[in-house]
Amino acid sequence: KGLFSAYVDSVLDGVWNYCVDNDIELSLYGEQAAELSRCDLVRVLGRRGVNAAVFLNASRSSGYFAALNDQNFPYCCVMTAPDEARPWIIQPDSVALSRKATEYLIELGHCRIALLDSLETRDIGKQRRRGYLEALQSAGIAADPTLVFSHSNCDAAPADDFD
C-alpha cells in the first residue's frame, strides 16, 4: 500500500517514471500549505538543489505561489492551485470525464446510477457531479438525490443539489 491516496500514488508513479526515463533526479518534499507559505520556499528548494517543482493538489489558499512567480521559479501544479498559479495547472476535464463515465453505464442499460462523491466540497467534486447530472438529463433519466453519496458521511445528498 502506498503512502498517499491511490490517486496521488499513481501521479507520483507517473512522475517517477518520467524522471527515470529522462535521467532527471526526483526529490519529494512534503509540508503543510501554511508552513510553505511562511517560509522562503524558493530558498528552501534551492538549498536542496531543486530547480523546478511539481505541486499536487495545492490548496487554493496557498500563499507561496506569488513568491515563486516573483522569483521566476519554474513549477507546475497537478489538479488544484490558486489563481496566481495559472496557467501552470494541469487538470483533467472533470465534467466531461464524469459525463462520459455515466454515459457508458447508461449505454450498458443502467438507469439507477449512484455517484459516490468523495470531494463534494471542492471544485473537482462539483464538476464531477455536474457531468453526472448532465449525462442523466441527456438520457432523460430523472436525477435521484438518494443515489448521491458524500465520502464524509455517506448520507444522501440534499435534494436542492438537483434543481
Side-chain angles (χ1 to χ4, degrees):
K1 182 164 164 83
L3 296 173
F4 306 104
S5 70
Y7 166 74
V8 172
D9 282 345
S10 67
V11 170
L12 289 174
D13 189 49
V15 170
W16 172 256
N17 289 332
Y18 178 86
C19 289
V20 168
D21 292 347
N22 292 281
D23 198 29
I24 297 171
E25 185 175 331
L26 173 68
S27 297
L28 293 178
Y29 178 72
E31 189 59 73
Q32 296 295 319
E35 180 57 31
L36 293 175
S37 296
R38 280 193 292 272
C39 73
D40 181 347
L41 184 57
V42 174
R43 187 178 339 162
V44 169
L45 294 173
R47 281 196 304 251
R48 294 170 178 259
V50 174
N51 57 18
V54 176
F55 295 91
L56 301 178
N57 288 332
S59 169
R60 294 223 182 260
S61 62
S62 300
Y64 48 87
F65 287 100
L68 294 171
N69 291 337
D70 289 346
Q71 297 180 48
N72 295 317
F73 189 87
Y75 68 89
C76 75
C77 301
V78 177
M79 293 304 292
T80 60
D83 289 338
E84 60 266 26
R86 297 189 187 281
W88 303 282
I89 302 174
I90 301 167
Q91 294 178 302
D93 183 341
S94 295
V95 174
L97 291 172
S98 179
R99 185 175 50 242
K100 185 175 178 99
T102 307
E103 288 170 346
Y104 171 74
L105 294 171
I106 292 167
E107 288 171 11
L108 292 176
H110 302 286
C111 58
R112 287 188 44 82
I113 301 167
L115 175 68
L116 284 79
D117 194 357
S118 63
L119 299 170
E120 70 276 3
T121 61
R122 301 180 90 181
D123 287 343
I124 190 168
K126 293 172 186 173
Q127 293 167 9
R128 289 173 180 170
R129 183 176 292 214
R130 191 172 112 212
Y132 165 80
L133 293 172
E134 286 177 4
L136 293 178
Q137 183 179 23
S138 291
I141 299 172
D144 182 348
T146 65
L147 295 178
V148 177
F149 302 90
S150 70
H151 176 69
S152 58
N153 60 17
C154 289
D155 289 335
D160 63 355
D161 282 353
F162 293 87
D163 292 338

